């Protein structure tokens, strides 16, 4: 799956929701799925990222949401990736 193509499709599919937001929120990337479709705050994204990292077996006492790439690489190496 190409991340650029996926992102372009997501933006295109959410364009109608974006048009209903005020000007400063129209450029926000992630929108909520509730009826307001308000932009999702960075704190909410970090909370979900930490939850998913924990479910994947990543030590969230060591790795935080901002270090998700490093945490994923470390976990992959721990699991035998080369």
């Amino acid at each position: 799956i190409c991340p650029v193509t996926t992102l372009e499709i997501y933006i295109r599919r959410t364009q109608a929701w974006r048009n209903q937001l005020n000007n400063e929120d129209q450029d926000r990337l992630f929108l909520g799925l509730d009826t307001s479709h308000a932009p999702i705050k960075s704190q909410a994204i970090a909370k979900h990222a930490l939850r998913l990292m924990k479910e994947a077996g990543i030590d969230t006492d060591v790795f935080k949401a901002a270090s998700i790439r490093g945490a994923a690489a470390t976990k992959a190496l721990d699991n035998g990736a080369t």
Side-chain angles (χ1 to χ4, degrees), residues 8-21 26-27 31:
E8 288 171 344
I9 291 168
Y10 169 76
I11 291 170
R12 192 169 46 249
R13 289 184 178 179
T14 58
Q15 190 60 53
W17 295 348
R18 292 172 194 288
N19 291 340
Q20 296 172 5
L21 299 173
Q26 287 183 0
D27 291 334
L31 303 179

Side-chain angles (χ1 to χ4, degrees), residues 28-58:
R28 299 290 183 97
L29 181 57
F30 297 111
L31 303 179
L33 296 177
D34 63 356
T35 56
S36 72
H37 305 299
I40 298 174
K41 297 185 185 307
S42 60
Q43 297 88 344
I45 294 170
K47 181 180 175 181
H48 289 296
L50 280 175
R51 181 181 55 80
L52 293 170
M53 289 167 68
K54 189 173 239 177
E55 288 178 13
I58 295 170

Side-chain angles (χ1 to χ4, degrees), residues 1-7:
I1 297 175
C2 174
V4 174
T5 301
T6 302
L7 187 57

